[in-house]
């Protein structure tokens, strides 16, 4: 099978009116990735060397996403929506240029695994001409039913055309089919629209193939994996399944999740073994956590890298470009954006560090802020190794602190501090002996006179 060529046709022309959205249905996201992106990943992992996506008219955003995720894919516009076989026909240009295997998938069925697609392809290599992915439906209403006899698939009956007896069948069509590449063009050409909906049903390919003496079989899949999305509730239920799979996979791979059901991952989250993730953590896209790190409760990470033995949180926010070095500490209510916190450095409380470098083993006091933006441009703050920035300091970028610099608490630092220098940038303290007592007396008298 490894040398057989494979075309995947992904049907994504549906508007998804029940989503009540201005977005094409397949652009809604699961784990931060559009539905169609999940399908593209699966088909590419299943060895599809050609990918054709059938889109609706005026779906520029969808076409852009396809180009981004699968640069070699082609998009084909289906102008009128006359059924699933009609949608496949829109990709005629792609399937006429024969591949050994053709997979047809729906863009609104995001959780299908590459392994499952592999199994369909193996059946083709084993001699089948058409393979349909089926599943045992808890509630089969609305699905096409697989009608079998002697281990072969005889027909797929859509809900609307099924007899009462056929409706009792619980083995249903997942909507994913695999064809021998040289069989597909004739099958599609022969499908008619003589049914209740007046549509060209791809499912009719089964009977057409049987009539031609071809071998048609079904392969069993898991209902959770093939669930499709037609509305927001189904989108949420697919998200739940996706998150559950992610959690189980991370735990199997050696990541501790203290309360797995409260941790949310993105499609591309990477966490190495021996990381501890405390409850209520959200991983946005593009996060990599190295082994031995600890992500403490209620933290939010996005496009960030956390190195070995570092600690993040509780209640920390790592925004895009946060690079946390080995053994560094990022504490509560700290936000890091586009900044490198080098090995062993500490930013433990209530700080904003943006567009900066914090040198190794530096200590950034509570409430420190890098002023990185002047309303027009972003500027860089560079803090050398072993520096100490006292609490409640403001570092007005662009500014540079040399190695071992010391900033007195409450300073506003507006120009560079040389290595090992002490910077004090605040109003000087004045003590007035006895004045507190005098003030108290005055204020008490004023209050008493009001009461009177
Ligand atoms: C389809 C199957 C049914 C199966 C079910 C699984 C057919 C005739 N029926 O029914 O057997 O059990 O999926 O979920 O295939 N699409 C287009 N252009 C069209 C029509 C559809 O691109 O003209 C796309 C849709 O965007 C969608 C997919 O094809 O992604 C399926 O279409 P839909 O109308 O949702 O089919 P179902 O009635 O759910
Ligand atoms: Ca559907």
């Amino acid at each position: 099978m490894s040398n057989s060529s494979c075309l995947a046709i992904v049907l994504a022309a549906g508007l998804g009116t029940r989503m009540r959205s201005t977005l094409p249905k397949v652009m809604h996201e699961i784990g931060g990735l559009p539905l169609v992106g999940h399908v593209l990943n699966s088909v590419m992992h299943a060895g599809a060397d050609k990918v054709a996506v059938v889109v609706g008219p005026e779906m520029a955003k969808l076409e852009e996403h396809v180009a981004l995720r699968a640069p070699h894919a082609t998009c084909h516009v289906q102008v009128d929506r006359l059924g699933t076989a009609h949608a496949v026909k829109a990709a005629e240009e792609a399937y006429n240029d024969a591949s050994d295997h053709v997979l047809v998938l729906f863009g609104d069925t995001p959780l299908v695994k590459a392994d499952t697609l592999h199994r369909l392809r193996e059946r083709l290599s084993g001699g089948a001409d058409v393979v349909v992915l089926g599943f045992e439906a808890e509630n089969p209403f609305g699905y096409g039913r697989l009608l079998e006899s002697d281990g072969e698939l005889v027909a797929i009956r859509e809900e609307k055309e099924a007899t009462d007896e056929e409706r009792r069948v619980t083995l249903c069509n997942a909507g994913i089919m695999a064809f021998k590449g040289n069989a597909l063009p004739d099958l599609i050409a022969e499908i008619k629209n003589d049914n209740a909906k007046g549509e060209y049903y791809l499912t009719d390919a089964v009977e057409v193939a049987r009539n031609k003496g071809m071998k048609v079989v079904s392969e069993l899949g898991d209902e959770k994996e093939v669930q499709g999305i037609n509305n927001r509730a189904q989108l949420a239920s697919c998200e739940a399944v996706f998150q559950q799979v992610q959690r189980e996979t991370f735990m199997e791979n050696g990541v501790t999740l203290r309360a797995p059901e409260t941790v949310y991952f993105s499609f591309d989250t990477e966490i190495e073994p021996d990381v501890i993730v405390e409850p209520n953590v959200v991983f946005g896209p593009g996060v990599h956590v190295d082994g031995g790190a600890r992500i403490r409760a209620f933290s939010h990470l996005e496009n960030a890298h956390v190195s070995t033995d570092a600690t993040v949180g509780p209640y920390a926010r790592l925004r895009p470009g946060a690079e946390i070095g080995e053994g560094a500490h990022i504490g509560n209510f700290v936000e890091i954006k586009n900044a490198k916190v080098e090995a062993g450095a500490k930013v433990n409380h209530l700080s904003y560090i943006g567009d900066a470098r914090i040198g190794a083993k530096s200590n950034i006091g509570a409430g420190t802020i890098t002023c990185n933006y002047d309303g027009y441009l972003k500027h860089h703050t560079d803090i050398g190794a072993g520096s100490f920035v006292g609490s409640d300091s403001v570092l007005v970028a662009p500014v540079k602190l040399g190695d071992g610099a010391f900033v007195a608490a409450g300073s506003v630092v507006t120009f560079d501090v040389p290595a090992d220098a002490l910077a004090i940038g605040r109003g000087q303290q004045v003590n007035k002996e006895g004045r507190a007592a005098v003030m108290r007396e005055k204020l008490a008298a004023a209050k008493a006179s009001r009461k009177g």
Side-chain angles (χ1 to χ4, degrees):
M1 194 185 76
S2 54
N3 0 343
S4 42
S5 59
C6 178
L7 161 69
I9 302 177
V10 179
L11 307 188
L15 287 173
T17 45
R18 288 168 64 202
M19 299 294 285
R20 299 188 183 279
S21 174
T22 55
L23 273 183
K25 175 162 71 170
V26 299
M27 287 303 287
H28 289 268
E29 294 179 354
I30 296 254
L33 181 70
L35 306 180
V36 68
H38 287 269
V39 179
L40 292 172
N41 280 348
S42 296
V43 300
M44 290 189 288
H45 278 120
D49 48 306
K50 279 195 348 189
V51 180
V53 183
V54 177
V55 303
E58 290 165 35
M59 290 189 175
K61 284 242 165 63
L62 169 54
E63 293 194 38
E64 272 167 38
H65 181 75
V66 170
L68 182 77
R69 304 292 314 175
H72 63 297
T74 50
C75 285
H76 307 262
V77 180
Q78 184 198 22
V79 180
D80 302 310
R81 295 188 65 231
L82 304 179
T84 44
H86 182 260
V88 171
K89 197 156 192 289
E92 203 170 5
E93 220 178 306
Y95 67 69
N96 275 343
D97 181 13
S99 295
D100 299 321
H101 298 167
V102 180
L103 293 168
V104 178
L105 306 95
F106 296 161
D108 66 355
T109 308
L111 303 180
V112 62
K113 292 188 186 125
D115 275 358
T116 308
L117 302 178
H118 261 296
R119 280 198 283 134
L120 302 186
R121 295 189 62 196
E122 269 163 20
R123 296 294 293 274
L124 292 177
S125 302
D129 296 296
V130 179
V131 189
V132 175
L133 184 64
F135 67 101
E136 280 295 337
E138 205 169 297
N139 172 13
F141 180 80
Y143 288 112
R145 311 298 206 282
L146 302 193
L147 310 180
E148 293 194 302
S149 157
D150 294 335
E152 290 205 12
L153 190 58
V154 177
I156 304 178
R157 196 73 74 228
E158 290 304 302
E159 178 82 29
K160 284 215 160 126
E161 285 83 32
T163 62
D164 286 348
E165 192 187 337
E166 287 167 344
R167 285 198 178 119
R168 281 194 286 275
V169 172
T170 52
L171 183 61
C172 290
N173 174 24
I176 292 160
M177 295 170 95
F179 298 88
K180 281 267 171 67
N182 53 14
L184 185 68
D186 286 347
L187 296 180
I188 296 296
E190 286 182 33
I191 291 173
K192 301 194 181 60
N193 63 345
D194 50 358
N195 52 50
K197 281 186 167 175
E199 285 189 0
Y200 296 89
Y201 289 165
L202 178 61
T203 45
D204 285 349
V206 171
E207 276 165 294
V208 176
R210 292 277 297 188
N211 291 338
K212 288 176 173 294
M214 292 182 177
K215 185 171 177 179
V216 185
V217 298
S218 75
E219 177 74 25
L220 198 63
D222 174 11
E223 179 161 17
K224 275 195 185 142
E225 187 188 333
V226 299
Q227 74 186 78
I229 293 169
N230 295 319
N231 56 40
R232 307 262 180 177
Q234 287 169 340
L235 182 69
S237 107
C238 256
E239 177 82 48
V241 172
F242 171 82
Q243 292 297 341
Q244 193 53 31
V245 170
Q246 291 282 83
R247 292 166 190 145
E248 282 163 16
T249 309
F250 281 120
M251 289 190 285
E252 259 163 43
N253 292 343
V255 176
T256 294
L257 303 181
R258 282 268 188 79
E261 67 287 359
T262 67
V263 179
Y264 290 83
F265 299 98
S266 276
F267 70 102
D268 62 351
T269 307
E270 295 175 338
I271 306 183
E272 293 180 6
D274 282 328
V275 166
I276 295 175
V277 181
E278 293 184 4
N280 295 296
V281 171
V282 175
F283 292 95
V287 175
H288 185 107
V289 184
D290 292 349
R294 180 186 282 255
I295 311 299
R296 305 202 55 197
F298 295 99
S299 294
H300 188 284
L301 297 80
E302 186 182 359
N303 287 307
H305 173 218
V306 179
S307 304
T308 304
D309 296 333
T311 302
V312 172
Y315 298 98
R317 178 162 183 214
L318 301 188
R319 291 177 51 206
E323 169 72 45
I324 311 303
E326 211 176 307
H329 283 207
I330 305 301
N332 42 273
F333 306 106
V334 171
E335 175 178 337
I336 310 277
K337 187 218 71 167
N338 187 33
K340 192 167 183 189
V341 179
E342 293 181 347
K346 291 180 181 168
V347 190
N348 272 334
H349 330 267
L350 300 153
S351 285
Y352 171 66
I353 304 296
D355 302 304
R357 173 187 77 102
I358 295 176
K361 297 205 166 136
S362 288
N363 192 311
I364 307 299
T368 297
I369 302 288
T370 54
C371 281
N372 59 328
Y373 188 48
D374 55 20
Y376 293 88
L377 294 169
K378 300 280 168 66
H379 302 282
H380 189 79
T381 299
D382 193 83
I383 301 176
S387 300
F388 184 95
V389 177
S391 296
D392 202 25
S393 290
V394 174
L395 309 174
V396 183
V399 72
K400 205 172 159 157
L401 278 58
D403 291 349
F406 195 113
V407 173
S411 290
V412 177
V413 177
T414 54
F415 52 88
D416 292 355
V417 182
D420 291 320
L422 166 67
I424 309 171
R426 63 186 183 212
Q428 257 191 338
Q429 182 174 333
V430 180
N431 289 345
K432 314 248 173 172
E433 292 290 339
R435 271 286 273 281
V438 174
M439 272 173 60
R440 272 196 296 274
E441 239 168 65
K442 267 193 185 167
L443 292 169
K447 193 173 176 184
S449 75
R450 271 198 205 175
K451 273 186 193 155

